Amino acid sequence: MTVRDRERLAELVTAGQRLDTASIPFAQSRKGTTPLQVGVLALQGDFAEHLGTLHRLGVEGRPVRLVEELEGLAGLMIPGGESTTIGRLLVRFDLLPELRRLAHRGLPIYGTCAGMILLAKDIGPYEQPLMGVMDIVVRRNAFGRQIDSFEVDLLIPVLGEEPFRAVFIRAPYIESVGEGVQILARLPGDGHIVAARQGNLLVSAFHPELTQDLRFHRYFLNMVSEAWHGQDCP
């Protein structure tokens, strides 16, 4: 929270006005004594695999299909699947404006594959509903069709020295990033960007939920914990 935010809150309290919680950053409005609950958007795609991974890490996961199911979440995951279908369902269930609001307030959100597309501000010539909150340009289906899916070992320094076995399925990649976006991983060889972070937003073109390696989910949960306990995200 900035100095100006604190001053504004103090002014509101002094004046006896009702606080507009929508204006308060996520970390300042958290319920600190409540066990962490991480939501997984469950409209379409491989949400069950993400919920299973969270369970293996000892975290309570919650499938999210309705706006009211976002209440009290410490973080949210958007799974892989069909980004066009998920985007249309976000509109149909009126989730899109609320997700944008939560993202801007600082709720940690992790998008994998289709989730990465939905978080991006720019996906080129395609027209589909997007959250559009992360300053990245994404190319859809960048590696071809389903049969062109592949696995590769990635060096991801934030996870340690041991390579991460990444699974790519009709995957996108990031063509370019804006200021403030941290590149976490590139493909060996062509150097395409396949994982990045911007503050409370995390994306990967690959599917860590389809492997036994828990490190990428654990990295996101550390982001969630930092935000939930009011620490500034690096």
Side-chain angles (χ1 to χ4, degrees):
M1 179 178 277
T2 67
V3 172
R4 179 58 191 140
D5 291 334
R6 294 191 184 95
E7 292 174 349
R8 177 59 180 155
L9 283 173
E11 291 170 0
L12 291 169
V13 172
T14 300
Q17 297 182 29
R18 182 177 181 274
L19 295 181
D20 177 9
T21 55
S23 67
I24 304 174
F26 166 76
Q28 302 301 319
S29 61
R30 69 203 184 282
K31 299 175 182 177
T33 58
T34 304
L36 292 181
Q37 285 195 347
V38 175
V40 180
L41 193 67
L43 298 175
Q44 193 265 345
D46 56 349
F47 55 88
E49 288 79 0
H50 281 295
L51 288 168
T53 301
L54 291 175
H55 179 73
R56 291 167 62 195
L57 286 164
V59 174
E60 185 176 352
R62 182 201 302 175
V64 173
R65 298 180 178 88
L66 303 172
V67 171
E68 52 266 34
E69 292 170 338
L70 292 166
E71 178 65 29
L73 290 179
L76 178 71
M77 308 187 74
I78 303 177
E82 297 286 345
S83 65
T84 303
T85 301
I86 297 174
R88 289 173 178 167
L89 291 171
L90 289 177
V91 173
R92 180 175 179 181
F93 290 98
D94 204 26
L95 280 159
L96 204 51
E98 183 65 9
L99 289 179
R100 287 184 183 134
R101 187 182 72 85
L102 290 171
H104 288 307
R105 285 182 60 198
L107 179 74
I109 300 176
Y110 174 24
T112 59
C113 197
M116 182 168 94
I117 295 170
L118 289 161
L119 286 168
K121 286 185 176 180
D122 189 341
I123 61 168
Y126 296 97
E127 292 190 5
Q128 63 184 80
L130 299 173
M131 288 178 62
V133 292
M134 188 166 178
D135 195 8
I136 54 177
V137 178
V138 170
R139 175 176 291 191
R140 289 182 36 170
N141 299 333
F143 301 102
R145 298 175 297 169
Q146 188 95 7
I147 60 172
D148 299 312
S149 302
F150 62 97
E151 297 183 19
V152 66
D153 288 330
L154 295 178
L155 294 177
I156 308 179
V158 296
L159 302 185
E161 297 182 357
E162 182 181 350
F164 187 94
R165 189 68 175 175
V167 178
F168 291 81
I169 302 173
R170 293 182 61 200
Y173 66 67
I174 299 174
E175 293 185 311
S176 63
V177 303
E179 186 175 352
V181 178
Q182 178 187 7
I183 297 172
L184 299 182
R186 293 178 181 269
L187 276 181
D190 58 27
H192 289 313
I193 304 167
V194 291
R197 175 179 177 181
Q198 184 177 17
N200 57 301
L201 306 175
L202 178 69
V203 293
S204 68
F206 49 88
H207 294 261
E209 75 281 6
L210 299 181
T211 74
Q212 299 301 309
D213 195 330
L214 304 177
R215 288 180 292 163
F216 215 89
H217 281 79
R218 188 176 288 119
Y219 177 78
F220 175 63
L221 293 177
N222 284 336
M223 290 172 53
V224 172
S225 180
E226 289 168 356
W228 189 254
H229 295 293
Q231 300 177 19
D232 294 332
C233 293

